[in-house]
Amino acid sequence: MSNEAARRWRLVLGRYAGDNLGGGLNGRDGEIDATLDYLYGREYAGKVRSPRNGQRGAGLDPSQIKALDWLQRSRKLFPREVLERVQGHALDRYGIRELLDDPATLLSLEPNQALARTLLQMRGRMNAATLDAVRSVIRKVVEEITRTLRQDFVNALQGRRNRFRQSSLRSFQNFDWRATIGANLKHYDPQLRRLLIERPRFNARIKRQLPWDVILCVDQSGSMLDSVMYSAIVAGILSSLPAVRVRLVVFDTNVVDLSHLAHDPVQVLLTVQLGGGTDIGRAMQYCESLVQSPQRTVLALISDFMEGAMPGPLLGSVKRLNEARVKLLGLAALDQEAQPVYDHAMAQRLADRGMQVAALTPTHFAQWLAEAMA
C-alpha cells in the first residue's frame, strides 16, 4: 500500500488502525484525525478491548477537545459541506449537548435545514437562554428557503400567461419562445446555422380578480417534520399574496388552528408540537367547517395518510367536500431524500372519493396549486 493510501485509510479507520497503517499522524493530518476521533471515536466506546488491561472501553481515553473547541477546529479544517455533515452527526447521532447549551455557540453553527430540523426536535430540552438563538437560526433557514420558493408561487398564482399581450417583465416563466423566434427570424445566420436573438419576447399575465381560500391541513406527527417546515413556509408565502386567503390547521390527535400565525412561519414552527398519534378525520372535519365558498376553496391535506383513527370520518368528510366542489389536494409526505413515504392504500381510498393525490416537491406544489385555482 502506498503512503498516500495508508494515510487516507488511517483517517477513515481511526486511531485503532494506527499499528497496521504506520502509526499516528502529524501536522494537519494529526489535527484532522483528532477532530474526527472526538466525534466518531464514540462508536468504539464499549466495543474496543484495550491491549493494556483487556477491558472493553478502556482503550478510548477521554478526549481533551471540548465540544466548543471541536466546533471551532472543525470550521478551520473542513469545507462547508463536510462541516454541515459532521455537525449534523454531532447533534443527531451523538447528542453533543454542549453545542446547544450556549447561545453564542448555537449562533455560530452553520444555519441549514438539517440544523433547523434538529433544533425543532430538541426544542423542549433546551434551556430558556438558548430559545432566542434557536429562533434566530430557524429564521435564517426559513428566509433562505422562502427566497428559493417565493417566486415560483408568485409566478404560478398571480395569474396565467396572456399570449396576446407582451410584457416588459422579463422572467423565465413569462418567456414566449414562439413570438421570440418569429420576431428574430431575420437575424438567422446560415453559416453558423444559428438564430441570433436581438429582442426576446415575454407574455404579460392575467391578474386574478376574485380571491381564493386555501386551507392547508398539515399533519404534525413525528414523521412529518420536513413537511411541516415547508408547509409553514408555503403558508407564509401565500399569506403575502393579495388574491389568496390562507387558513393553516395542524393536527395529530388534536387539531390546532394556526391561521392567525400563517404570515409568520418561524412562529408556526416554534408553536407546533411534533409527535403523537394521527387523527386525520377529525382534522378534515374541522377544515370542512371552515369552508365558506366551496367552488373557490382549495383544501390541501399534507400528510403520510397513515390514519390512526377509524377511517370512516375521514372518507366521509372527503366525499362531502368533493360533492360540494371543493378542490381537494392530497400532498404525500416526502422524506429527507425527497422520496415519498405514505400509506398508498389510504391514498387510493381518498382518490376514489375525489381527492387528487400526489407526492411533489414544494416547487411543483406551487404549479399544482395554481392549476387547481385556474
Side-chain angles (χ1 to χ4, degrees):
M1 183 182 294
S2 68
N3 290 337
E4 177 60 17
R7 166 187 168 274
R8 293 172 70 88
W9 275 112
R10 170 64 179 77
L11 286 170
V12 168
L13 297 175
R15 72 164 92 165
Y16 295 103
D19 291 342
N20 296 320
L21 293 173
L25 297 168
N26 299 314
R28 181 178 175 82
D29 286 345
E31 291 185 62
I32 294 175
D33 183 51
T35 304
L36 293 173
D37 187 67
Y38 174 79
L39 187 63
Y40 299 107
R42 296 160 194 264
E43 294 284 354
Y44 292 101
K47 300 178 183 178
V48 176
R49 188 181 301 278
S50 169
R52 292 176 294 179
N53 53 24
Q55 298 298 313
R56 287 190 179 276
L60 185 59
D61 297 326
S63 174
Q64 297 303 307
I65 307 177
K66 294 182 179 180
L68 307 188
D69 295 333
W70 169 81
L71 177 61
Q72 296 304 320
R73 184 176 295 191
S74 297
R75 288 183 188 284
K76 297 177 182 178
L77 293 173
F78 303 128
R80 179 171 180 174
E81 61 271 16
V82 175
L83 175 63
E84 290 183 356
R85 176 166 294 189
V86 297
Q87 174 182 289
H89 289 168
L91 294 170
D92 295 336
R93 185 182 299 177
Y94 304 112
I96 300 181
R97 292 296 308 279
E98 295 94 323
L99 297 180
L100 301 177
D101 289 339
D102 179 67
T105 302
L106 191 56
L107 290 172
S108 72
L109 296 174
E110 290 293 332
N112 56 61
Q113 192 170 337
L115 176 59
R117 186 186 306 114
T118 299
L119 295 179
L120 290 170
Q121 289 173 327
M122 302 182 68
R123 187 183 64 215
R125 289 174 279 171
M126 296 179 182
N127 60 58
T130 64
L131 290 181
D132 286 341
V134 168
R135 182 185 297 274
S136 177
V137 171
I138 292 176
R139 184 171 298 280
K140 290 178 182 177
V141 175
V142 165
E143 289 173 350
E144 179 61 30
I145 298 174
T146 300
R147 277 194 294 271
T148 302
L149 294 180
R150 179 177 173 77
Q151 199 58 46
D152 291 314
F153 277 87
V154 170
N155 290 335
L157 297 176
Q158 283 197 334
R160 67 183 185 276
R161 288 196 297 172
N162 181 356
R163 298 187 182 278
F164 302 102
R165 188 163 63 89
Q166 297 297 307
S167 172
S168 60
L169 178 62
R170 300 188 173 198
S171 70
F172 170 77
Q173 290 82 0
N174 291 347
F175 180 62
D176 188 340
W177 61 269
R178 290 188 181 89
T180 297
I181 292 175
N184 292 274
L185 281 175
K186 61 183 178 181
H187 302 302
Y188 179 73
D189 189 324
Q191 293 183 339
L192 296 176
R193 302 185 66 182
R194 292 180 179 178
L195 180 66
L196 305 178
I197 304 300
E198 183 181 66
R199 291 184 58 193
R201 297 296 182 90
F202 299 87
N203 294 135
R205 287 184 176 264
I206 300 173
K207 296 290 185 179
R208 301 187 188 278
Q209 300 298 327
L210 297 176
W212 277 81
D213 293 323
V214 176
I215 303 173
L216 299 177
C217 185
V218 186
D219 187 340
Q220 66 169 355
S221 57
S223 61
M224 294 290 299
L225 177 54
D226 287 286
S227 295
V228 170
M229 186 179 302
Y230 276 106
S231 297
I233 292 169
V234 167
I237 294 172
L238 293 177
S239 296
S240 68
L241 302 180
V244 181
R245 294 186 299 233
V246 181
R247 300 299 297 264
L248 177 63
V249 176
V250 299
F251 68 92
D252 40 37
T253 53
N254 295 309
V255 180
V256 181
D257 193 328
L258 297 179
S259 301
H260 61 293
L261 298 176
H263 66 284
D264 187 351
V266 175
Q267 189 58 41
V268 169
L269 292 174
L270 293 175
T271 300
V272 295
Q273 300 295 322
L274 298 165
T278 309
D279 190 340
I280 310 175
R282 184 177 182 183
M284 286 294 289
Q285 287 176 329
Y286 176 78
C287 291
E288 191 177 354
S289 72
L290 300 178
V291 176
Q292 297 179 353
S293 302
Q295 296 183 37
R296 297 198 66 79
T297 298
V298 178
L299 198 166
L301 171 63
I302 297 97
S303 175
D304 56 14
F305 308 129
M306 297 180 183
E307 177 64 295
M310 296 297 291
L314 168 59
L315 299 175
S317 179
V318 171
K319 184 174 183 294
R320 290 189 300 273
L321 287 164
N322 180 56
E323 290 172 347
R325 302 181 65 182
V326 172
K327 305 276 189 176
L328 294 169
L329 307 180
L331 189 62
L334 300 177
D335 64 15
Q336 296 178 24
E337 285 73 43
Q339 297 299 313
V341 181
Y342 63 97
D343 185 330
H344 291 255
M346 178 56 75
Q348 184 60 57
R349 296 178 75 179
L350 295 173
D352 291 342
R353 286 158 179 80
M355 178 178 285
Q356 300 179 56
V357 177
L360 302 172
T361 63
T363 295
H364 289 101
F365 176 58
Q367 299 167 354
W368 194 31
L369 187 60
E371 290 173 3
M373 297 165 63

